[in-house]
Amino acid sequence: MRFTSILAIYSLFWSLSFFFVLPFRLRTGAAPEAAIAGQADSAPPRFAFGRTCLWTTIVSAVLFGLYYVNYVQGWIGTDDLDFFTRYRPH
C-alpha cells in the first residue's frame, strides 16, 4: 500500500473517529461552571478541543492499525463480506 493511500485512509478513520469520540466526557450546563449568555442549557460550558483531538488520534490509530493488519494478513476479504449472492463452491 502506498503512503498516500495510507494517509488518505487514516484521515478518513480520524474524521469518523472524531464524531465517535465527540459525545464522550462532555459536561452539560448543569455542571457548576457558569454558562455564557445565550448558550443553550444542554451545551457544554467548556469544550476541550485538544483533548478530543488526542482521544480521536488514539482511537483512529487503533482502528487503522486493525485495518492495516487485516489488509496485510487478509483475515477478512471482499468475498467474506458478500452477503447478497448465494454460496457457490469454488
PDB file of all heavy atoms in Angstrom, residues 22-39:
ATOM      1  N   LEU A  22     -16.610  12.490  20.074  1.00  0.00           N
ATOM      2  CA  LEU A  22     -17.173  13.793  20.437  1.00  0.00           C
ATOM      3  C   LEU A  22     -18.139  13.765  21.623  1.00  0.00           C
ATOM      4  O   LEU A  22     -18.013  14.598  22.525  1.00  0.00           O
ATOM      5  CB  LEU A  22     -17.846  14.400  19.211  1.00  0.00           C
ATOM      6  CG  LEU A  22     -18.196  15.864  19.241  1.00  0.00           C
ATOM      7  CD1 LEU A  22     -16.952  16.694  19.488  1.00  0.00           C
ATOM      8  CD2 LEU A  22     -18.839  16.278  17.938  1.00  0.00           C
ATOM      9  N   PRO A  23     -19.090  12.842  21.725  1.00  0.00           N
ATOM     10  CA  PRO A  23     -20.030  12.922  22.846  1.00  0.00           C
ATOM     11  C   PRO A  23     -19.493  12.417  24.184  1.00  0.00           C
ATOM     12  O   PRO A  23     -20.154  12.592  25.211  1.00  0.00           O
ATOM     13  CB  PRO A  23     -21.207  12.062  22.395  1.00  0.00           C
ATOM     14  CG  PRO A  23     -20.655  11.124  21.407  1.00  0.00           C
ATOM     15  CD  PRO A  23     -19.514  11.844  20.744  1.00  0.00           C
ATOM     16  N   PHE A  24     -18.321  11.809  24.214  1.00  0.00           N
ATOM     17  CA  PHE A  24     -17.805  11.277  25.467  1.00  0.00           C
ATOM     18  C   PHE A  24     -17.176  12.376  26.313  1.00  0.00           C
ATOM     19  O   PHE A  24     -16.547  13.290  25.800  1.00  0.00           O
ATOM     20  CB  PHE A  24     -16.780  10.164  25.222  1.00  0.00           C
ATOM     21  CG  PHE A  24     -17.406   8.921  24.658  1.00  0.00           C
ATOM     22  CD1 PHE A  24     -17.299   8.629  23.318  1.00  0.00           C
ATOM     23  CD2 PHE A  24     -18.119   8.062  25.477  1.00  0.00           C
ATOM     24  CE1 PHE A  24     -17.888   7.495  22.791  1.00  0.00           C
ATOM     25  CE2 PHE A  24     -18.711   6.916  24.966  1.00  0.00           C
ATOM     26  CZ  PHE A  24     -18.592   6.639  23.615  1.00  0.00           C
ATOM     27  N   ARG A  25     -17.328  12.271  27.605  1.00  0.00           N
ATOM     28  CA  ARG A  25     -16.731  13.148  28.607  1.00  0.00           C
ATOM     29  C   ARG A  25     -17.181  14.602  28.504  1.00  0.00           C
ATOM     30  O   ARG A  25     -16.464  15.498  28.877  1.00  0.00           O
ATOM     31  CB  ARG A  25     -15.210  13.069  28.556  1.00  0.00           C
ATOM     32  CG  ARG A  25     -14.703  11.655  28.805  1.00  0.00           C
ATOM     33  CD  ARG A  25     -13.249  11.611  28.932  1.00  0.00           C
ATOM     34  NE  ARG A  25     -12.882  12.259  30.200  1.00  0.00           N
ATOM     35  CZ  ARG A  25     -11.655  12.462  30.585  1.00  0.00           C
ATOM     36  NH1 ARG A  25     -10.664  12.084  29.826  1.00  0.00           N
ATOM     37  NH2 ARG A  25     -11.394  13.023  31.731  1.00  0.00           N
ATOM     38  N   LEU A  26     -18.365  14.821  27.963  1.00  0.00           N
ATOM     39  CA  LEU A  26     -18.912  16.172  27.933  1.00  0.00           C
ATOM     40  C   LEU A  26     -19.682  16.432  29.216  1.00  0.00           C
ATOM     41  O   LEU A  26     -20.341  15.551  29.750  1.00  0.00           O
ATOM     42  CB  LEU A  26     -19.852  16.357  26.743  1.00  0.00           C
ATOM     43  CG  LEU A  26     -19.210  16.523  25.389  1.00  0.00           C
ATOM     44  CD1 LEU A  26     -20.284  16.671  24.328  1.00  0.00           C
ATOM     45  CD2 LEU A  26     -18.297  17.724  25.363  1.00  0.00           C
ATOM     46  N   ARG A  27     -19.593  17.651  29.686  1.00  0.00           N
ATOM     47  CA  ARG A  27     -20.393  18.059  30.838  1.00  0.00           C
ATOM     48  C   ARG A  27     -21.436  19.039  30.344  1.00  0.00           C
ATOM     49  O   ARG A  27     -21.132  19.946  29.587  1.00  0.00           O
ATOM     50  CB  ARG A  27     -19.510  18.701  31.894  1.00  0.00           C
ATOM     51  CG  ARG A  27     -18.578  17.697  32.548  1.00  0.00           C
ATOM     52  CD  ARG A  27     -17.690  18.374  33.519  1.00  0.00           C
ATOM     53  NE  ARG A  27     -16.707  19.145  32.713  1.00  0.00           N
ATOM     54  CZ  ARG A  27     -15.784  19.922  33.230  1.00  0.00           C
ATOM     55  NH1 ARG A  27     -15.709  20.068  34.519  1.00  0.00           N
ATOM     56  NH2 ARG A  27     -14.936  20.555  32.459  1.00  0.00           N
ATOM     57  N   THR A  28     -22.665  18.888  30.791  1.00  0.00           N
ATOM     58  CA  THR A  28     -23.733  19.771  30.344  1.00  0.00           C
ATOM     59  C   THR A  28     -23.748  21.045  31.169  1.00  0.00           C
ATOM     60  O   THR A  28     -22.948  21.229  32.070  1.00  0.00           O
ATOM     61  CB  THR A  28     -25.104  19.074  30.467  1.00  0.00           C
ATOM     62  OG1 THR A  28     -25.327  18.758  31.832  1.00  0.00           O
ATOM     63  CG2 THR A  28     -25.149  17.808  29.619  1.00  0.00           C
ATOM     64  N   GLY A  29     -24.711  21.903  30.867  1.00  0.00           N
ATOM     65  CA  GLY A  29     -24.844  23.160  31.580  1.00  0.00           C
ATOM     66  C   GLY A  29     -25.180  22.986  33.042  1.00  0.00           C
ATOM     67  O   GLY A  29     -25.095  23.931  33.819  1.00  0.00           O
ATOM     68  N   ALA A  30     -25.561  21.792  33.461  1.00  0.00           N
ATOM     69  CA  ALA A  30     -25.869  21.529  34.867  1.00  0.00           C
ATOM     70  C   ALA A  30     -24.592  21.465  35.712  1.00  0.00           C
ATOM     71  O   ALA A  30     -24.659  21.431  36.931  1.00  0.00           O
ATOM     72  CB  ALA A  30     -26.643  20.221  35.001  1.00  0.00           C
ATOM     73  N   ALA A  31     -23.446  21.465  35.061  1.00  0.00           N
ATOM     74  CA  ALA A  31     -22.178  21.477  35.785  1.00  0.00           C
ATOM     75  C   ALA A  31     -22.041  22.801  36.534  1.00  0.00           C
ATOM     76  O   ALA A  31     -22.679  23.789  36.178  1.00  0.00           O
ATOM     77  CB  ALA A  31     -21.026  21.288  34.809  1.00  0.00           C
ATOM     78  N   PRO A  32     -21.208  22.875  37.548  1.00  0.00           N
ATOM     79  CA  PRO A  32     -21.132  24.078  38.367  1.00  0.00           C
ATOM     80  C   PRO A  32     -20.572  25.312  37.665  1.00  0.00           C
ATOM     81  O   PRO A  32     -20.632  26.394  38.204  1.00  0.00           O
ATOM     82  CB  PRO A  32     -20.224  23.661  39.523  1.00  0.00           C
ATOM     83  CG  PRO A  32     -19.502  22.461  39.064  1.00  0.00           C
ATOM     84  CD  PRO A  32     -20.386  21.804  38.050  1.00  0.00           C
ATOM     85  N   GLU A  33     -20.050  25.170  36.440  1.00  0.00           N
ATOM     86  CA  GLU A  33     -19.493  26.312  35.738  1.00  0.00           C
ATOM     87  C   GLU A  33     -20.611  27.190  35.170  1.00  0.00           C
ATOM     88  O   GLU A  33     -21.668  26.707  34.805  1.00  0.00           O
ATOM     89  CB  GLU A  33     -18.586  25.824  34.615  1.00  0.00           C
ATOM     90  CG  GLU A  33     -17.453  24.966  35.134  1.00  0.00           C
ATOM     91  CD  GLU A  33     -16.751  24.231  34.023  1.00  0.00           C
ATOM     92  OE1 GLU A  33     -16.897  24.611  32.859  1.00  0.00           O
ATOM     93  OE2 GLU A  33     -16.063  23.259  34.332  1.00  0.00           O
ATOM     94  N   ALA A  34     -20.366  28.471  35.093  1.00  0.00           N
ATOM     95  CA  ALA A  34     -21.374  29.394  34.598  1.00  0.00           C
ATOM     96  C   ALA A  34     -21.469  29.319  33.079  1.00  0.00           C
ATOM     97  O   ALA A  34     -20.465  29.202  32.381  1.00  0.00           O
ATOM     98  CB  ALA A  34     -21.009  30.810  35.021  1.00  0.00           C
ATOM     99  N   ALA A  35     -22.695  29.412  32.578  1.00  0.00           N
ATOM    100  CA  ALA A  35     -22.921  29.390  31.140  1.00  0.00           C
ATOM    101  C   ALA A  35     -22.803  30.811  30.588  1.00  0.00           C
ATOM    102  O   ALA A  35     -23.006  31.789  31.290  1.00  0.00           O
ATOM    103  CB  ALA A  35     -24.298  28.820  30.830  1.00  0.00           C
ATOM    104  N   ILE A  36     -22.473  30.882  29.315  1.00  0.00           N
ATOM    105  CA  ILE A  36     -22.380  32.165  28.628  1.00  0.00           C
ATOM    106  C   ILE A  36     -23.790  32.607  28.267  1.00  0.00           C
ATOM    107  O   ILE A  36     -24.655  31.784  27.972  1.00  0.00           O
ATOM    108  CB  ILE A  36     -21.506  32.015  27.367  1.00  0.00           C
ATOM    109  CG1 ILE A  36     -20.112  31.558  27.767  1.00  0.00           C
ATOM    110  CG2 ILE A  36     -21.456  33.283  26.562  1.00  0.00           C
ATOM    111  CD1 ILE A  36     -19.239  31.153  26.615  1.00  0.00           C
ATOM    112  N   ALA A  37     -24.039  33.905  28.270  1.00  0.00           N
ATOM    113  CA  ALA A  37     -25.368  34.421  27.922  1.00  0.00           C
ATOM    114  C   ALA A  37     -25.743  33.991  26.511  1.00  0.00           C
ATOM    115  O   ALA A  37     -24.961  34.125  25.581  1.00  0.00           O
ATOM    116  CB  ALA A  37     -25.370  35.941  28.030  1.00  0.00           C
ATOM    117  N   GLY A  38     -26.944  33.449  26.356  1.00  0.00           N
ATOM    118  CA  GLY A  38     -27.421  32.976  25.066  1.00  0.00           C
ATOM    119  C   GLY A  38     -27.067  31.538  24.765  1.00  0.00           C
ATOM    120  O   GLY A  38     -27.454  31.006  23.732  1.00  0.00           O
ATOM    121  N   GLN A  39     -26.343  30.886  25.639  1.00  0.00           N
ATOM    122  CA  GLN A  39     -25.924  29.492  25.441  1.00  0.00           C
ATOM    123  C   GLN A  39     -27.058  28.558  25.848  1.00  0.00           C
ATOM    124  O   GLN A  39     -27.739  28.783  26.846  1.00  0.00           O
ATOM    125  CB  GLN A  39     -24.678  29.214  26.278  1.00  0.00           C
ATOM    126  CG  GLN A  39     -24.119  27.840  26.120  1.00  0.00           C
ATOM    127  CD  GLN A  39     -22.847  27.655  26.940  1.00  0.00           C
ATOM    128  OE1 GLN A  39     -22.479  28.527  27.708  1.00  0.00           O
ATOM    129  NE2 GLN A  39     -22.208  26.529  26.776  1.00  0.00           N
TER     130      GLN A  39
END
